[in-house]
Amino acid sequence: MKLKQIMLDHGSGGLASQELIEKLFLRYLDHPLLADMEDSAVFSVPGTRLAMSTDSYVVDPLFFPGGDIGQLAVHGTINDLAMRGARPLYLSLAFILEEGLSYGELEKIIRSIAQASKDAAVPIITGDTKVVERGKADKIFINSTGLGVVAPDCQISLTRARPGDKIIISGPMGDHGLTIMSQRSGLSLSGDLASDTMPLHGLVEQLLDEFGPAIHTLHDPTRGGVATGLNEIASHSKVALEIMEAALPIRPQVAAGCEILGLDPLYLANEGKVLIFVAADKAQGLLNLAHSRPEGREAAIIGQVQEGPAGRVSLITAIGGSRLLTPLQGQPLPRIC
């Protein structure tokens, strides 16, 4: 059936998003760097390898426990560069503001952006601002672009997961997604529920310095969550993945909230987590190093790469059964980032 209009599902990061990109955007925008569909494009100029990424932020609400739209714009773009092993150098930001936006809210967001940029040591060096009529946007949308440098021997890619690799996640899943849902719906959930938004380039840089050649793939499971991210890697690398349900790190308040709301934490967005595919003989050492940093203090080995049907992701349940993990279908929570 021919698509007649864009639906919220097309922004989910799941199957509908992938189909829109593949059937429309890549049909006309056919550069091989874009067709790779990586977190960032890596390319060479004389004497240097660079990484470039862009993203847009439309999260609702603008402010939430643990962060705001400004922090997301800075952290998210830094993290996309880090997922290719790049050292982030500079950011650009462009703002679409709706007539009537509170000056005080805008100033709060800009202050937050400035602090996030300073803390990450990644400066914002160019930008743009546009204002649209009242009712033509939702207060503020932010587009960010990042530029980073990649070491000559760094080959991190979604295509490089290998049979035998161990799969590590840098911390508990679902914090950001459930935080946004609870804020939007007015639910009061027990526990200190907050977004996990944070920059990951410091953690990635240290891991690459110590274990560089053994690290094959990095991916931040944002929209669509861990399950969708794993499916992307399995598909790109043409391997099968096996995940152990008992090993998945989930905060008690997230697990409880998901049970109440009928959600699966595997499909909830994360804004400060990385999936790491590493050679098995280096996995424990990498895990120990991750535990020494705040970004990876709760990191865990959650599975391994196997020979098998390309693109297959299996979850071994706590009682020893098995079920397939598919990419996100539909959009349980729109405008998550």
Side-chain angles (χ1 to χ4, degrees):
M1 181 183 300
K2 186 175 180 181
L3 180 67
K4 294 184 177 180
Q5 60 183 8
I6 299 301
M7 308 295 289
L8 281 173
D9 287 1
H10 292 109
S12 69
L15 281 176
S17 296
Q18 294 173 23
E19 290 175 359
L20 181 67
I21 292 168
E22 291 170 0
K23 294 181 179 180
L24 178 60
F25 292 105
L26 294 182
R27 178 182 172 188
Y28 296 100
L29 309 174
D30 58 355
H31 194 283
L33 286 176
L34 181 62
D36 287 342
M37 294 179 65
E38 297 267 4
D39 290 304
S40 301
V42 173
F43 55 95
S44 296
V45 297
T48 307
R49 292 179 76 214
L50 297 174
M52 182 178 179
S53 183
T54 191
D55 210 339
S56 297
Y57 295 85
V58 298
V59 65
D60 174 31
L62 301 179
F63 305 95
F64 43 84
D68 56 62
I69 191 172
Q71 285 184 355
L72 284 183
V74 173
H75 295 164
T77 305
I78 286 174
N79 292 346
D80 279 345
L81 294 172
M83 296 306 104
R84 297 302 305 276
R87 177 170 58 86
L89 296 176
Y90 302 110
L91 299 177
S92 79
L93 291 180
F95 299 85
I96 298 176
L97 310 177
E98 182 187 21
E99 179 189 16
L101 170 66
S102 160
Y103 186 92
E105 284 187 315
L106 178 58
E107 183 175 22
K108 185 177 179 181
I109 291 167
I110 300 302
R111 285 203 310 265
S112 179
I113 287 171
Q115 190 63 54
S117 171
K118 179 180 178 181
D119 291 344
V122 183
I124 296 157
I125 61 168
T126 189
D128 183 52
T129 303
K130 296 290 189 297
V131 179
V132 298
E133 296 91 340
R134 193 184 303 266
K136 300 296 184 180
D138 189 0
K139 294 186 178 180
I140 179 172
F141 298 151
I142 303 176
N143 173 264
S144 56
T145 299
L147 187 69
V149 62
V150 185
D153 58 347
C154 182
Q155 299 298 326
I156 302 296
S157 170
L158 295 179
T159 65
R160 296 196 68 242
R162 297 291 180 263
D165 283 356
K166 295 295 184 181
I167 305 169
I168 294 174
I169 189 169
S170 61
M173 342 178 277
D175 293 9
H176 179 76
L178 196 63
T179 296
I180 297 300
M181 171 165 276
S182 63
Q183 290 294 301
R184 193 176 297 166
S185 63
L187 292 175
S188 179
L189 300 174
S190 61
D192 297 325
L193 189 62
S195 171
D196 61 349
T197 181
M198 69 176 78
L200 297 169
H201 60 309
L203 170 66
V204 168
E205 183 175 3
Q206 188 169 0
L207 295 179
L208 288 175
D209 284 346
E210 184 70 24
F211 300 100
I215 299 174
H216 300 144
T217 298
L218 300 169
H219 189 41
D220 54 339
T222 51
R223 293 179 304 161
V226 169
T228 301
L230 291 171
N231 272 274
E232 291 172 2
I233 295 167
S235 177
H236 277 74
S237 291
K238 297 179 172 56
V239 294
L241 309 181
E242 183 178 82
I243 307 303
M244 307 302 295
E245 184 178 41
L248 294 172
I250 306 171
R251 299 191 196 283
Q253 57 267 43
V254 173
C258 286
E259 185 172 352
I260 292 169
L261 297 169
L263 299 173
D264 187 339
L266 278 161
Y267 292 94
L268 290 179
N270 309 272
E271 292 294 340
K273 300 298 184 297
V274 55
L275 293 166
I276 306 165
F277 286 62
V278 60
D281 61 338
K282 301 296 184 183
Q284 190 58 52
L286 186 148
L287 189 67
N288 293 340
L289 180 55
H291 287 163
S292 72
R293 295 186 59 98
E295 309 99 305
R297 188 169 293 128
E298 299 174 87
I301 298 174
I302 62 171
Q304 62 186 1
V305 182
Q306 297 181 326
E307 299 278 5
R312 182 185 180 99
V313 182
S314 300
L315 180 75
I316 306 302
T317 67
I319 60 173
S322 177
R323 68 179 176 96
L324 290 180
L325 287 182
T326 60
L328 176 66
Q329 301 183 49
Q331 171 58 311
L333 188 61
R335 295 182 52 191
I336 201 74
C337 59

